[in-house]
């Protein structure tokens, strides 16, 4: 039985006051962490203030980090710095970073190793673009991402990993993958993990869907067998909506 995990990715939104307003509401309203993991991945500038105020059922994550322990990397943030703040999750390889900030499969791989070294739980993002989808290349692209991104990780590490399947054509476009398409691709990810590691690992790894997830479509997405949660951008900025979407995951544990 995989525990559902609902994560908000705030991207480059929210000042400190806005983050505080959000967390005071959400702390009291999210369900028990024994039933569902609720995570907010926030900008670096508000991580400390969120960690200090997180209730027992909410966990805090970053949206990126560097793969080195320290060094002359102007503007970057390291895993030990995140660990030091009390952050527990980190998104690695989001498509926006791959497309706009030179993130490659190789740097994603280094960052995953680094996250495990500092006991941060990575949320690894994979997914195809519209061109890939229309040319039947989805499975090939995702297989390549998984092979390169997970290279050298142990079975135990991969069992603890969260993978977010985020088709790029569905991010911020209002165009959600149908539950069937999302489930089919998440099933393919699980099968590939099974081939690369073991059946046991593939049954343990949690796979989220991300891309225009909203209050009105999350239930049917989460009803799918291979979808263990959601990584939510725009709709996670609203505290009430975030709580509603976390509560939708309770249906999976009934
Ligand atoms: P939206 O939910 O805004 O489409 O963003 C999805 C996403 O990129 C989450 O990481």
């Amino acid at each position: 039985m995989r525990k559902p995990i609902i994560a908000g990715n705030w991207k480059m939104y929210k000042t400190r006051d806005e983050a505080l307003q959000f967390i005071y509401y959400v702390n009291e309203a999210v369900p028990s962490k024994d039933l569902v993991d609720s995570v907010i991945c926030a900008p670096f500038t508000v991580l400390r203030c969120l960690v200090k105020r997180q209730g027992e059922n909410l966990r805090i994550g970053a949206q990126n980090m560097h793969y080195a322990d320290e060094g002359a990397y102007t503007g970057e943030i390291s895993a030990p710095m995140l660990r030091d703040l009390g952050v527990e999750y980190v998104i690695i390889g989001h498509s926006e970073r791959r497309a706009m900030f030179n993130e490659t499969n190789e740097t994603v791989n280094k960052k995953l190793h680094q996250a495990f070294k500092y006991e941060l739980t990575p949320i690894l993002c994979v997914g195809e673009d519209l061109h890939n989808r229309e040319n039947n290349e989805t499975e090939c692209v995702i297989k390549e991402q998984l092979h390169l991104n997970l290279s050298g990780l142990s079975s135990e590490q991969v069992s603890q990993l969260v993978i977010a399947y985020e088709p790029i054509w569905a991010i911020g476009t209002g165009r959600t993958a149908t539950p069937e398409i999302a489930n089919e691709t998440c099933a393919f990810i699980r099968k590939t993990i099974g081939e690369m590691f073991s059946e046991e690992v593939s049954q343990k790894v949690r796979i989220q869907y991300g891309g225009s997830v909203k209050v009105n479509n999350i239930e049917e997405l989460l009803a799918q067998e291979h979808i263990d949660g959601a990584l939510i951008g725009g709709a996670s900025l609203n505290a009430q909506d975030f709580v509603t979407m976390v509560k939708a995951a309770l249906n999976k544990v009934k």
Side-chain angles (χ1 to χ4, degrees):
M1 183 67 196
R2 296 180 293 268
K3 200 202 306 183
I5 174 164
I6 306 296
N9 173 10
W10 280 357
K11 308 192 178 182
M12 199 173 72
Y13 288 94
K14 290 203 192 288
T15 60
R16 190 167 170 278
D17 280 352
E18 290 164 345
L20 288 176
Q21 256 183 19
F22 180 100
I23 198 167
Y24 286 136
Y25 176 82
V26 167
N27 266 344
E28 303 301 319
V30 283
S32 165
K33 65 175 185 317
D34 297 336
L35 299 174
V36 43
D37 283 328
S38 309
V39 184
I40 287 295
C41 298
F44 293 128
T45 46
V46 296
L47 287 176
R48 182 63 187 152
C49 91
L50 291 176
V51 166
K52 269 166 71 181
R53 292 168 181 85
Q54 69 188 352
E56 60 169 340
N57 296 318
L58 191 66
R59 303 268 77 72
I60 305 301
Q63 300 169 10
N64 180 40
M65 58 171 220
H66 198 272
Y67 51 75
D69 280 354
E70 58 184 7
Y73 299 104
T74 303
E76 290 291 318
I77 300 286
S78 72
M81 291 171 184
L82 294 178
R83 191 70 224 169
D84 185 41
L85 291 185
V87 165
E88 292 173 70
Y89 287 82
V90 59
I91 297 174
I92 303 285
H94 192 280
S95 60
E96 286 155 13
R97 298 217 59 89
R98 291 180 192 254
M100 292 185 275
F101 302 100
N102 278 337
E103 190 82 274
T104 64
N105 281 324
E106 288 68 30
T107 57
V108 167
N109 177 246
K110 287 187 189 176
K111 290 180 181 189
L112 289 175
H113 281 276
Q114 184 73 349
F116 283 114
K117 180 173 162 193
Y118 286 94
E119 295 177 356
L120 296 162
T121 300
I123 301 177
L124 164 66
C125 299
V126 297
E128 80 287 1
D129 64 20
L130 189 58
H131 175 86
N132 303 142
R133 171 66 55 185
E134 285 175 346
N135 288 282
N136 253 338
E137 295 164 357
T138 299
E139 295 195 347
C140 180
V141 167
I142 289 178
K143 197 169 190 166
E144 183 181 28
Q145 288 174 335
L146 290 173
H147 275 267
L148 296 173
N149 295 169
L150 302 179
S151 170
L153 292 177
S154 69
S155 291
E156 203 196 323
Q157 289 171 329
V158 177
S159 308
Q160 294 161 21
L161 193 68
V162 180
I163 299 179
Y165 166 55
E166 297 209 316
I168 295 167
W169 47 271
I171 296 178
T173 57
R175 193 176 157 183
T176 325
T178 62
E180 292 73 27
I181 287 181
N183 187 53
E184 196 177 89
T185 315
C186 290
F188 173 77
I189 291 171
R190 202 177 297 289
K191 181 172 116 235
T192 307
I193 297 290
E195 289 161 5
M196 290 172 64
F197 296 91
S198 69
E199 172 68 17
E200 193 192 336
V201 174
S202 76
Q203 290 308 312
K204 280 191 185 158
V205 68
R206 292 186 291 175
I207 305 178
Q208 298 174 311
Y209 167 77
S212 298
V213 175
K214 310 263 182 265
V215 166
N216 61 11
N217 60 19
I218 191 162
E219 281 189 25
E220 51 179 359
L221 287 160
L222 293 181
Q224 305 297 315
E225 179 186 353
H226 291 286
I227 302 180
D228 306 315
L231 182 58
I232 308 163
S236 76
L237 294 169
N238 179 289
Q240 283 83 357
D241 285 358
F242 181 72
V243 170
T244 303
M245 292 186 287
V246 175
K247 286 185 175 164
L250 292 173
N251 289 331
K252 279 197 98 74
V253 288
K254 269 184 193 153

